[in-house]
């Protein structure tokens, strides 16, 4: 096992990783920007190193500064957390070349999954269902048009380098194809410097369901079931839950089993997530994330397994030590992402926390690095807390969530708390009857006041 891990991240996830390290008897090194000198993970870590000014580009994305910090503190491994360096294959390679262990998958796997066309082809070759569409990238407008006619409209034009919805446009009919093609390509070029495109049949009411995977260096791979992440707005997840209210036991076992089998076949090690669209009883692979995810906590709540601990263990080349049948599921978990944002517009609301009280009690977990008097800097992601509840049934989890949201106090800044209270009281949400468009529709239907939607209004 490692003796000292450098955590190359910030906020709640840096604290989450620190907690796993301490319980494993591993010392921690926090790295931080000047804006994060008073952060909780910096206070709690055994050592800390300031790696640059507030701008992420000069601190959390500053490879020489991170490697130097690992070197001067004598760390043996680097945990990239979520975002920043987590899916940067070049960084993963440099970490190993400098004699440290990268706590994550092989650079080769990061690279394969970073190219959405290669990822899809790899999964298809291994028997995972994918959305009908082009076989690889589409070389020209005319080729695309001919193909779209064969697939049948509507089609979705996607960037090979994409993800997160950038460089993606729907063409509803042949008349609209050229404009969608041109816009999607321009957006992809601007965002990724790469305008290679592919085409898929557009699914108009899918759910976003993902499978949590873990593989070791010895060819063993297991799954921890699915999470339903359909409650989202503009590609930002807002609520996640497990199990998905839409799946039956047979579908769950089939998708989990197939995903774990393929991950094992490609020699995947580390934690990873296969993302699927699920519509009308069918699954379609879309992407694979080669990192820990924000919502891993939901899976932890129903399996009782510390996924960060497991991630660190497999990175140290330890074998899994258990098999699929040892993983059991207990009840239901729901997570609310609490961002410091206006609950109607999602405009960030940085500033000083004036009053903070977190809920507690049986089945309630709050992952957060904020505290009374903490000043949320304006430079980074606005996620400030995750409220995760677990119950014996979905209904018990919902009652517990409603109770916990009512106890939560975060003063001084605007947060998504009022939006969460509104969502979880909607009959569709209570019935588990929602798709990836549901939240945006709900917010459009909210009564407008002075041209602004009002969360919580009836
Ligand atoms: C799709 C789709 C419908 N049909 N592909 C959005 C980002 C990228 N990761 C994949 N995305 C989608 N791909 C086909 N063929 C709808 C989306 C999509 C979406 C997917 C997951 C979660 C939220 C979403 C929001 C809008 C669109």
């Amino acid at each position: 096992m490692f003796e000292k891990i450098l955590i190359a991240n910030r906020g709640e996830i840096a604290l989450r990783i620190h907690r796993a390290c301490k319980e494993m008897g591993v010392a921690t090194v926090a790295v931080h920007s000047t804006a994060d000198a008073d952060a909780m993970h910096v206070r709690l870590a055994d050592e800390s190193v300031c790696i640059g000014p507030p701008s992420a580009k000069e601190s959390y994305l500053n490879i020489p500064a991170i490697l130097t910090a690992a070197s001067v503190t004598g760390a043996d491994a680097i945990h990239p957390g979520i975002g920043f360096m987590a899916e940067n294959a070049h960084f993963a390679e440099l970490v190993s070349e400098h004699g440290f262990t990268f706590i994550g998958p092989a650079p080769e796997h990061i690279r394969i999954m970073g190219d959405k066309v290669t990822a899809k082809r790899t999964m298809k070759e291994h028997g995972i269902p994918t959305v009908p569409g082009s076989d690889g990238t589409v070389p020209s407008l005319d080729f695309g048009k001919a193909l779209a006619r064969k697939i049948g409209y509507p089609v979705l034009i996607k960037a090979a380098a994409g993800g997160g919805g950038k460089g993606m446009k729907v063409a509803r009919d042949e008349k609209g194809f050229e404009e969608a093609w041109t816009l999607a390509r321009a957006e992809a070029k601007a965002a990724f410097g790469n305008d290679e495109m592919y085409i898929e049949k557009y699914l108009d009411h899918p759910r976003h369901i993902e499978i949590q995977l873990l593989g070791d260096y010895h060819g063993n791979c297991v799954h921890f079931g699915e999470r339903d992440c359909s409650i989202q707005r503009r590609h930002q997840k807002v609520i996640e839950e497990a199990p998905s209210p839409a799946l039956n036991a047979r579908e769950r076992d089939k998708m989990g089993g197939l995903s774990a089998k393929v991950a094992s076949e490609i020699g995947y090690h580390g934690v990873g997530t296969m993302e699927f669209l699920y519509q009308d009883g069918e699954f379609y692979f879309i992407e694979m994330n080669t990192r820990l995810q924000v919502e891993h906590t939901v899976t932890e709540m129903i399996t009782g397994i510390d996924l960060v601990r497991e991630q660190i263990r497999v990175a140290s080349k330890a074998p899994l030590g258990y098999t699929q049948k040892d993983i059991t599921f207990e009840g239901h978990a729901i997570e609310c992402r609490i961002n410091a944002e206006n609950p109607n517009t999602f405009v960030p609301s940085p500033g000083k926390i004036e009053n903070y009280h977190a809920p507690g009690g049986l089945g309630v977990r709050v992952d957060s690095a904020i505290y009374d008097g903490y000043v949320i800097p304006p430079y980074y992601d606005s996620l400030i807390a995750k409220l995760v509840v677990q119950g014996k049934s979905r209904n018990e989890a919902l009652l517990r969530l409603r109770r916990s949201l009512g106890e939560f106090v975060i003063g001084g800044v605007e947060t998504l708390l009022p939006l969460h209270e509104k969502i979880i009281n909607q009959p569709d949400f209570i019935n588990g009857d929602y798709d990836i468009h549901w939240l945006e529709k709900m917010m459009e239907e909210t009564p407008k006041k002075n041209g602004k939607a009002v969360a919580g209004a009836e």
Side-chain angles (χ1 to χ4, degrees), residues 9-164:
N9 216 293
R10 64 179 302 286
E12 68 86 20
I13 202 65
L15 180 57
R16 168 71 190 86
I17 296 160
H18 166 84
R19 286 171 169 160
C21 291
K22 292 322 285 180
E23 292 181 13
M24 298 173 87
V26 176
T28 58
V29 179
V31 293
H32 65 91
S33 71
T34 53
D36 281 336
D38 295 327
M40 184 74 92
H41 78 282
V42 176
R43 290 190 191 189
L44 289 177
D46 295 294
E47 292 168 77
S48 67
V49 181
C50 181
I51 52 167
S55 144
K57 213 176 151 207
E58 296 174 88
S59 52
Y60 300 103
L61 296 170
N62 183 342
I63 297 177
I66 296 166
L67 293 176
T68 305
S71 186
V72 299
T73 56
D76 356 78
I78 299 181
H79 195 307
I82 297 173
F84 297 130
M85 311 310 293
E87 288 174 291
N88 183 325
H90 178 61
F91 177 71
E93 276 164 359
L94 286 175
V95 166
S96 317
E97 281 167 22
H98 284 76
F100 310 109
T101 300
F102 177 75
I103 301 179
E108 175 203 353
H109 289 131
I110 301 178
R111 226 167 243 132
I112 290 171
M113 302 308 166
D115 179 332
K116 308 304 163 192
V117 170
T118 311
K120 188 176 171 183
R121 182 184 307 123
T122 305
M123 293 304 154
K124 199 174 166 188
E125 281 169 5
H126 283 82
I128 298 229
T130 56
V131 191
S134 57
D135 186 15
T137 55
V138 174
S140 68
L141 170 67
D142 287 341
F143 188 100
K145 260 191 191 170
L147 193 67
R149 190 180 288 206
K150 254 185 246 156
I151 297 167
Y153 284 95
V155 298
L156 190 56
I157 303 166
K158 292 183 169 182

Side-chain angles (χ1 to χ4, degrees), residues 131-132 156 158 162-166 168 198 200-204 206-208 229-230 232 234-235 237 275-277 279 286-287 436-437 440:
V131 191
L156 190 56
K158 292 183 169 182
K166 277 199 196 117
M168 198 176 86
Y198 65 110
E200 286 180 348
K201 177 83 189 166
Y202 177 65
L203 306 172
D204 67 355
R207 299 177 77 114
H208 179 194
C229 308
S230 302
Q232 61 87 36
R234 297 193 192 156
H235 305 287
K237 292 169 186 163
E275 296 191 347
F276 295 88
L277 296 178
Q279 181 174 304
I286 48 169
E287 290 172 23
I436 61 168
H437 304 295
E440 282 165 356

